[in-house]
Amino acid sequence: MKMFKHHLLFIPIVLLLCTTISSCTKFAEKVDITSLDERSVDNPKYFYYYKGKKRVLTPNTELINIVSKKIIVSENFAKFGTVKTNEEKVEVSKAKTQSTIPSSSSQKQHYYGQLKLAKKASEQEYFAIVNQLKKVDRYTDVYPTFIDPDGIPVGISSLFNVELQSPGDYELLTQVANTYGAIIVRQNEFMPLWYTLSSTESALDMAALFYQTGYFSETEPDISMIYPLSCPTDEFFANQWGANNTAQMGGSAGVDIKLCGALDQTRSTGAVINVAVIDQGVDFSHEDLDMSLYPPIQNHDIVTGGDNMIRGPHGTAVAGIIAARENGKGITGVAPWCRLMSVSVPFVGWATPEISMLAADAINWAVAHGADVINNSWGAIKIPSLDKAIARALAFGRNGKGCVLVFGAGNGGYRTDVEYPANDNPGVLAVGAVTQCGTRKDGAIGCTDNGEGYWFSSYGPQLDVMAPGTLVPTTDISGEPGYTPDKYIQNFWGTSAACPHVSGIAALILSKNPTLYGYEVCNIIESTAQKLGPYVYSNKAGRPNGTWHEQMGYGVVNASAAVAATQRVDVLGILYYGNISNH
């Protein structure tokens, strides 16, 4: 932290500006600059005044705060290399952005992110990294993290606040601000004696210096509490590496869809979004798939014309990834407040008669009955009727706004070709499977050997995004015909598992803004994806939403960034969950 011995040179200038010599003497006597340089219990280096006493802070040399005008998705810090100090080098290139949320209401156009270093740095190294990042043009502010005496992590921005003793002291505030190179930013609307200032110097030091003049009632650095993400506490959530990867499955911490941050942004309220699961049927008697939260929506079996039929466990597993309730039981789905609609199709074998036409009928039925998002964790034989059903859903679903159609890319990726129907129409989202290490599932190599057999996530020119597709915990039909004797399976896999993660994110986006067109939802998901893995992403013709790679598409989906990138719009006349004032 930079100290201010050199500011003693400015005191003669202040003498010329003061109205009386006595007040100038008071100013000179009160500014005890040397106390800020001393490292001791009585004179700590990092502190601010609270009720006249020093409140000491300790640097957290692992976390850096960033404010940007753009969504902070997944930064590449390789260009920074290492920070060279007198001590051990710090690998800045290994740092990861771990969350993104909109900043305060006064700066709605800005976004706040947290950068976590690969390991804790020394104090000298840490502040060298902070200063290095401040040179990045797209960041409007970069500031350190401290731990307060209560053990709470806090950020100290470049702002600080000052309370005048009386309204007539504004000129004095101006003089002191000019002395120390600070800028008066604004006056508080509700407490007019309070002013916010900014400085290129340490806000902690500036707040202390202004306080020590004795001219002001109170001063304080701009302190932001760094709230921990509120992750679900459902029984098996700790196993859901795809939602919050802590390396619990032998993978790489941070390789996940950032679900905790997304749920924090959508928990309180949102539009109830209809997600159709075209599959083997969904077991709605499952404790984690309670559909009594909202007025029921019709389910359908495409063969009998009656209600949803359970023709196997696959649909129940897919449904759990999308919408398992956050209820303390089992797992938590990506969109636990959405409304599922099951369209059961006899996906029971390769020789099922008319299966492709039945799949087309299922899509058409879902569109006609109000589906917003349609999950398709299946493949089919190429036929024109299925092509037409997909095109109709994209064009005419949701009263002309277009459904969001999500397809698994397929599990035969030893070929460089996304499988049908994921490769049929550029308007759908084709989803591949990423492992807990952040790489495309590619046979049984290294981290990807999960006891699931030798399979590959399909890839190629039509691939859009990636999502967790190995060792995925989800709901199961208890006993026959389930995968396990239990109500949950801990290792569901394939692009069948990746696909519903993306369907859930689409539902979260629409819950925040149900007026979006389907293609706009897809653009948000693609443009906020994380560039993970040992792949070189690059710009490609026909791929307008960022850099892309044939094995990873735009990267691994980021639920938190996608929701943060969505402007909230409340719509009268539609069903909302939670508390909302105008519904």
Side-chain angles (χ1 to χ4, degrees):
M1 177 176 284
K2 192 171 182 179
M3 298 305 148
F4 289 89
K5 287 181 178 177
H6 61 281
H7 283 303
L8 288 171
L9 298 175
F10 287 98
I11 290 178
I13 298 175
V14 177
L15 289 172
L16 297 176
L17 297 172
C18 292
T19 57
T20 66
I21 293 184
S22 61
S23 63
C24 293
T25 304
K26 178 181 178 183
F27 179 78
E29 291 174 349
K30 286 289 184 179
V31 180
D32 183 8
I33 303 291
T34 58
S35 68
L36 297 178
D37 286 331
E38 298 175 12
R39 295 169 179 257
S40 69
V41 175
D42 294 330
N43 292 296
K45 187 175 182 182
Y46 307 106
F47 67 93
Y48 65 97
Y49 286 98
Y50 178 69
K51 294 184 177 180
K53 296 182 179 180
K54 293 179 180 178
R55 190 164 173 83
V56 179
L57 304 177
T58 304
N60 179 339
T61 60
E62 191 176 25
L63 195 64
I64 298 173
N65 305 284
I66 298 172
V67 181
S68 173
K69 291 184 178 180
K70 297 181 179 180
I71 291 290
I72 305 167
V73 180
S74 181
E75 298 285 6
N76 179 8
F77 293 93
K79 64 182 179 181
F80 291 113
T82 58
V83 173
K84 296 181 179 180
T85 67
N86 294 331
E87 303 175 42
E88 184 181 356
K89 295 179 181 179
V90 176
E91 294 284 346
V92 184
S93 58
K94 294 180 180 178
K96 300 288 184 182
T97 47
Q98 61 180 19
S99 68
T100 304
I101 58 174
S103 64
S104 67
S105 58
S106 64
Q107 295 180 326
K108 289 183 178 179
Q109 74 277 23
H110 292 79
Y111 293 88
Y112 162 73
Q114 296 173 345
L115 170 64
K116 187 174 183 180
L117 302 181
K119 63 178 182 178
K120 285 191 174 183
S122 69
E123 186 177 310
Q124 181 185 3
E125 292 167 334
Y126 177 76
F127 284 103
I129 296 170
V130 170
N131 290 331
Q132 204 169 8
L133 291 174
K134 284 182 177 180
K135 299 175 183 178
V136 179
D137 291 338
R138 63 183 175 275
Y139 298 151
T140 59
D141 201 359
V142 178
Y143 53 93
T145 301
F146 296 87
I147 304 296
D148 86 339
D150 297 324
I152 299 173
V154 297
I156 305 293
S157 78
S158 59
L159 303 175
F160 63 101
N161 303 310
V162 176
E163 183 187 23
L164 306 185
Q165 293 182 5
S166 68
D169 288 340
Y170 179 77
E171 183 61 31
L172 182 59
L173 174 67
T174 302
Q175 294 170 5
V176 178
N178 290 339
T179 299
Y180 291 112
I183 299 172
I184 299 173
V185 177
R186 58 181 169 267
Q187 182 183 26
N188 188 280
E189 178 183 357
F190 303 102
M191 298 186 295
L193 291 179
W194 281 90
Y195 287 83
T196 297
L197 295 86
S198 68
S199 174
T200 57
E201 306 290 356
S202 161
L204 282 175
D205 282 355
M206 296 301 285
L209 287 170
F210 274 61
Y211 184 85
Q212 290 178 9
T213 65
Y215 282 170
F216 307 109
S217 295
E218 299 285 355
T219 68
E220 63 188 26
D222 175 44
I223 300 178
S224 59
M225 181 183 293
I226 300 173
Y227 294 94
L229 294 176
S230 179
C231 286
T233 58
D234 289 19
E235 182 180 2
F236 299 124
F237 185 79
N239 297 340
Q240 291 181 248
W241 70 265
N244 184 40
N245 193 341
T246 60
Q248 66 269 58
M249 295 295 178
S252 302
V255 174
D256 55 56
I257 69 168
K258 308 294 182 282
L259 182 60
C260 298
L263 296 184
D264 276 355
Q265 297 175 65
T266 54
R267 232 183 227 105
S268 60
T269 189
V272 175
I273 301 302
N274 299 326
V275 181
V277 178
I278 297 177
D279 216 291
Q280 292 182 332
V282 176
D283 180 7
F284 286 116
S285 68
H286 196 288
E287 64 181 6
D288 236 354
L289 297 172
D290 178 16
M291 291 306 295
S292 65
L293 294 175
Y294 319 113
I297 191 167
Q298 186 180 5
N299 300 306
H300 188 70
D301 183 76
I302 207 66
V303 175
T304 67
D307 200 2
N308 160 65
M309 290 184 64
I310 299 174
R311 300 175 179 274
H314 193 270
T316 299
V318 167
I321 296 170
I322 297 171
R325 305 309 183 198
E326 188 180 3
N327 56 8
K329 302 174 183 177
I331 67 162
T332 302
V334 176
W337 310 287
C338 76
R339 179 166 49 189
L340 289 172
M341 53 190 298
S342 173
V343 189
S344 49
V345 179
F347 292 126
V348 293
W350 294 106
T352 304
E354 300 184 282
I355 189 64
S356 292
M357 178 62 82
L358 291 173
D361 290 344
I363 292 175
N364 287 326
W365 189 93
V367 172
H369 289 80
D372 298 303
V373 180
I374 304 177
N375 187 88
N376 307 276
S377 292
W378 45 269
I381 305 301
K382 295 181 179 180
I383 59 170
S385 59
L386 185 52
D387 293 349
K388 294 291 180 66
I390 292 171
R392 286 186 71 256
L394 293 171
F396 303 116
R398 299 178 55 239
N399 296 317
K401 291 187 178 296
C403 294
V404 180
L405 271 70
V406 187
F407 282 87
N411 303 332
Y414 50 88
R415 304 189 308 270
T416 56
D417 185 26
V418 171
E419 298 177 15
Y420 183 85
N423 64 5
D424 169 65
N425 191 310
V428 308
L429 282 170
V431 184
V434 70
T435 71
Q436 63 270 32
C437 294
T439 57
R440 179 181 69 88
K441 172 63 178 173
D442 186 12
I445 303 172
C447 172
T448 66
D449 186 4
N450 298 315
E452 301 164 340
Y454 201 73
W455 68 276
F456 303 77
S457 178
S458 298
Y459 66 97
Q462 302 89 0
L463 182 64
D464 294 314
V465 290
M466 303 292 280
T470 60
L471 295 177
V472 177
T474 187
T475 48
D476 192 13
I477 300 172
S478 182
E480 292 292 338
Y483 290 113
T484 70
D486 197 3
K487 293 178 289 188
Y488 298 90
I489 177 174
Q490 300 294 329
N491 59 346
F492 192 56
W493 57 270
T495 57
S496 287
C499 182
H501 284 88
V502 180
S503 294
I505 294 174
L508 290 178
I509 291 170
L510 287 172
S511 75
K512 192 173 179 183
N513 185 353
T515 71
L516 291 172
Y517 284 84
Y519 73 87
E520 292 177 309
V521 176
C522 296
N523 288 342
I524 290 171
I525 291 172
E526 292 176 349
S527 63
T528 55
Q530 307 166 84
K531 313 301 179 184
L532 302 183
Y535 309 96
V536 179
Y537 297 81
S538 61
N539 294 314
K540 183 176 176 62
R543 291 291 183 177
N545 290 322
T547 54
W548 182 91
H549 190 276
E550 68 169 0
Q551 293 194 50
M552 296 290 284
Y554 285 106
V556 178
V557 290
N558 185 329
S560 183
V563 173
T566 304
Q567 181 181 3
R568 181 179 178 115
V569 175
D570 295 334
V571 180
L572 289 171
I574 66 173
L575 182 64
Y576 274 69
Y577 63 84
N579 299 314
I580 186 165
S581 59
N582 63 341
H583 289 81

